[in-house]
């Protein structure tokens, strides 16, 4: 059930009709893209003896990885506890429970590290009470990156040589893992990272974020900073426009990360020669976003339906230049932890 997902050609209105990009539809996995790292990480931890038969898996997740862990827990017979926050959509909370996982909800954000840090603190607390429990740590575990080798090989078989890869960045796992393998076939392949405004990953200050899946309020070590040629920050209204336009014109759509990636991949297609093979990863499908991205009341309430996005992103020379509030790109990619020493 996991892997061998299809690719779909996306063209107008994201690009002119003679150009476009290939979307890798990871929503075709039973839980979404993160079924791949969840299965792989559990298999590796079992093989190394870090995860004992029947031991509990405890992880912090905003949803997709939780669905993958619930699948891996079912396959390999491990109880699963998923620490999440009130931003997790009710449909995902209920489905995770239905799939047999225990959902543990934190109620207050950490004053500096936001919901993500609050979730990680809660994971540490739960781990301290269960000496056999295993923590996958998707933000820092290199098995999260390695898990994407099959996806990269699928892309190579489906598209031939890939010239440009567009990926959203949360833990950094799929961008790092896919780029590493595809560059064995094409060392000149360009990698574009897509983040949300208000995310710290690429050196912007943390602020409250509407978009989930991509972005972070911490600095995940699985982000392969050196692998990126440029980064784009996208705002929620721009992602909503792209999600709804994808749905209306291509039937295939998804959530915040899909919209943001489609917006940027369409821009890349418009700005590179015809024949450039561009692959963009769509991490999930649209269903869980029926009450956010696809809900007019929710979108109006958050001012997300006011206008179409600009045809070009703004450009900054350095991530520290100023705080970005709308679609912006930057060709200087820095690791904020390294800069901070
Ligand atoms: C829906 C969605 N999109 C994008 C991402 C980012 O992927 P990665 O963690 O591999 O950087 C995630 C990660 O949780 C996700 O759930």
């Amino acid at each position: 059930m996991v892997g061998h997902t299809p690719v779909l050609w996306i063209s107008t209105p994201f690009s002119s009709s003679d150009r476009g990009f290939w979307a890798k539809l990871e929503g075709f996995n039973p839980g979404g893209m993160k079924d791949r790292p969840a299965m792989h990480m559990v298999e590796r931890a079992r093989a190394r003896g870090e995860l004992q038969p029947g031991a509990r898996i405890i992880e912090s997740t905003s949803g997709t990885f939780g669905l993958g862990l619930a699948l891996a827990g079912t396959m390999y017979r491990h109880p699963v506890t998923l620490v999440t926050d009130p931003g997790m959509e009710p449909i995902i909370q209920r489905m995770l429970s239905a799939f047999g996982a225990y959902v543990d909800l934190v109620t207050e954000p950490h004053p500096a590290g936001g919901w993500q840090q609050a979730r990680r603190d809660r994971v540490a607390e739960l781990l301290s009470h269960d000496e056999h429990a295993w923590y996958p740590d998707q933000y820092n575990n290199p098995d999260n990156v390695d898990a994407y080798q099959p996806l990269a090989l699928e892309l190579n078989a489906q598209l031939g040589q890939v010239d440009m890869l567009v990926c959203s960045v949360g833990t950094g796992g799929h961008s790092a893992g896919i780029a590493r393998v595809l560059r064995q076939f094409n060392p000149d392949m360009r990698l574009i990272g897509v983040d949300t405004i208000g995310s710290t990953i690429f050196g912007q200050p943390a602020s409250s974020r509407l978009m989930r899946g991509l972005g972070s309020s911490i600095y995940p070590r699985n982000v392969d900073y050196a692998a990126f040629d440029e980064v784009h920050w996208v705002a929620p209204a721009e992602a909503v426009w792209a999600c709804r336009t994808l749905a209306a014109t291509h039937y295939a759509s998804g959530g915040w990360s899909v919209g943001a990636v489609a917006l940027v991949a369409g821009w890349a297609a418009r700005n590179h020669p015809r024949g450039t093979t561009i692959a963009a990863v769509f991490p999930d499908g649209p269903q869980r976003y029926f009450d956010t991205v696809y809900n007019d009341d929710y979108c109006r309430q958050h001012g997300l339906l006011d206008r179409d996005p600009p045809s070009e992103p703004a450009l900054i020379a350095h991530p520290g230049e100023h705080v970005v509030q709308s679609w912006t790109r930057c060709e200087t990619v820095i690791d904020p932890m390294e800069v901070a020493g």
Side-chain angles (χ1 to χ4, degrees), residues 34 39 43 58 70 89 115 147 174 189 222 230 238 270:
K34 298 245 165 169
M39 292 291 283
E43 284 161 9
I58 302 178
E89 299 85 350
W115 288 108
H174 78 282
M189 188 198 75
N222 271 335
E230 64 181 276
E238 296 154 351
R270 291 197 302 277

Side-chain angles (χ1 to χ4, degrees), residues 8 41 44 137 141 170 184 196 227 247 266 309 317 321:
L8 179 71
M41 288 162 75
R44 294 303 305 140
D137 190 6
N141 183 339
Q184 290 169 11
T196 163
E321 194 174 305

Side-chain angles (χ1 to χ4, degrees), residues 78-203:
H78 292 279
V80 175
T81 295
L82 302 169
V83 177
T84 190
D85 59 62
M88 181 187 271
E89 299 85 350
I91 187 174
I92 299 296
Q93 289 186 33
R94 286 183 205 152
M95 290 317 297
L96 286 172
S97 302
F99 290 136
Y102 177 74
V103 179
D104 186 292
L105 212 62
V106 296
T107 49
E108 291 292 331
H110 182 277
W115 288 108
Q116 216 160 0
Q117 190 59 47
R119 291 188 334 225
R120 283 159 61 89
D121 291 349
R122 175 68 179 148
V123 165
E125 188 188 340
L126 291 172
L127 287 171
S128 72
H129 296 310
D130 184 345
E131 57 173 326
H132 300 295
W134 176 69
Y135 171 42
D137 190 6
Q138 60 163 334
Y139 301 102
N140 302 298
N141 183 339
D143 290 337
N144 176 13
V145 176
D146 296 345
Y148 290 99
Q149 187 199 40
L151 194 162
L153 295 176
E154 287 168 32
L155 274 179
N156 196 258
Q158 287 166 314
L159 307 179
Q161 182 172 290
V162 175
D163 300 311
M164 191 170 291
L165 177 68
V166 184
C167 290
S168 56
V169 183
T171 66
H174 78 282
S175 45
I178 301 169
R180 187 170 68 195
V181 176
L182 288 182
R183 281 189 172 134
Q184 290 169 11
F185 298 97
N186 177 12
D188 297 327
M189 188 198 75
R190 287 181 67 82
L191 174 63
I192 303 183
V194 181
D195 199 356
T196 163
I197 60 166
S199 161
T200 54
I201 298 177
F202 291 100

Side-chain angles (χ1 to χ4, degrees), residues 33-34 62-65 138 144 148 168-175 212-215 257-258 283-284 288-289:
M33 177 180 75
K34 298 245 165 169
S62 65
T64 323
F65 191 53
Q138 60 163 334
N144 176 13
Y148 290 99
S168 56
V169 183
T171 66
H174 78 282
S175 45
R212 295 171 67 80
L214 75 175
S257 56
V258 166
D284 59 4
R288 85 183 255 193
Y289 307 96

